[in-house]
């Protein structure tokens, strides 16, 4: 018989192995391309949701939260940018926590985006101006500088009198 021709080697692609740990203790390991964003990873997890996790499956990928080293990862971050270990061979996967929101995530009009508008005119919240410190700020500075209790009382009274309180 003829000698077997050598097969061309298939180039290996770097992968980032991640083990997802649910609060229930269930685990699943998956490999991802390092350039994938966290948002894409969530979509892939959701699309390949294990049959035995069926009772935990959220209605959409946006309900998933991935936590790594105590930090909630944002959808636009890439695995590369997070400096997660990447390998060509089998490597011990990085463990991340997978949390499922019990409610829909906030959209652009409410939630986190809304907080940026505080302190503008017409808003009920006001932010103290650094040029006009509150009497409490002046009082706390005076109290910190003074050690003698009788002196502290005098300084406190002077600050409160100056503030008209």
């Amino acid at each position: 018989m003829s000698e077997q021709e050598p097969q061309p080697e298939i180039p290996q692609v770097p992968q980032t192995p991640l083990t997802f740990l649910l609060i229930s203790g269930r685990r699943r390991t998956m490999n991802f391309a390092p350039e994938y964003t966290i948002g894409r990873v969530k979509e892939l997890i959701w699309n390949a949701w294990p049959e035995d996790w069926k009772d935990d499956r959220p209605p959409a990928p946006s309900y998933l939260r991935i936590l790594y080293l105590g930090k909630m990862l944002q959808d636009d971050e890439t695995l590369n940018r997070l400096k997660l270990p990447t390998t060509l061979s089998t490597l011990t996967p990085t463990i991340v926590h997978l949390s499922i929101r019990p409610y829909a995530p906030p959209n652009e009009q409410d939630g986190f985006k809304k907080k940026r508008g505080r302190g503008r005119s017409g808003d009920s919240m006001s932010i103290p101006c650094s040029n006009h410190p509150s009497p409490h700020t002046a009082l706390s500075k005076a109290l910190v500088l003074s050690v003698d209790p009788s002196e502290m009382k005098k300084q406190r009274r002077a600050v409160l009198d100056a503030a008209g309180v």
Side-chain angles (χ1 to χ4, degrees):
M1 301 231 170
S2 69
E3 222 175 278
Q4 283 187 354
E5 291 183 26
Q7 296 286 332
E9 262 189 50
I10 299 172
Q12 292 187 359
V13 179
Q15 294 286 306
T16 302
L18 297 176
T19 295
F20 297 97
L21 177 62
L22 285 177
I23 293 173
S24 64
R26 296 177 180 166
R27 294 173 183 248
R28 173 143 194 226
T29 300
M30 297 175 75
N31 292 316
F32 302 96
E35 63 273 1
Y36 281 179
T37 62
I38 294 299
R40 180 70 179 134
V41 168
K42 287 179 183 180
E43 290 172 5
L44 293 169
I45 295 167
W46 190 80
N47 289 331
W49 199 261
E51 193 63 35
D52 58 329
W53 291 11
K54 199 174 199 176
D55 54 328
D56 291 327
R57 188 170 197 238
S62 59
Y63 281 72
L64 296 173
R65 290 184 278 194
I66 299 174
L67 296 104
Y68 176 61
L69 297 176
K71 177 185 168 203
M72 187 166 48
L73 305 181
Q74 301 302 313
D75 285 348
D76 60 343
E77 292 178 300
T78 62
L79 299 176
N80 264 347
R81 198 169 9 159
L82 294 167
K83 298 185 183 349
L84 296 172
T86 301
T87 184
L88 294 173
S89 63
T90 307
L91 178 74
T92 304
T94 302
I95 296 177
V96 294
H97 293 267
L98 185 62
S99 172
I100 302 167
R101 294 176 193 260
Y103 52 86
N107 62 23
E108 292 294 317
Q109 280 71 40
D110 57 24
F112 300 110
K113 298 287 182 182
K114 196 175 201 176
K115 291 180 183 177
R116 290 186 181 170
R118 288 185 178 159
R120 293 184 185 156
S121 62
D123 203 340
S124 62
M125 285 204 65
S126 63
I127 298 173
C129 178
S130 61
N131 294 337
H132 305 293
S134 74
H136 301 291
T137 305
L139 176 62
S140 63
K141 285 180 182 175
L143 292 175
V144 168
L145 295 174
S146 175
V147 178
D148 182 19
S150 63
E151 186 62 32
M152 283 181 14
K153 286 181 183 177
K154 289 178 191 173
Q155 287 180 357
R156 182 173 188 263
R157 187 72 258 158
V159 169
L160 290 173
D161 289 341
V165 179

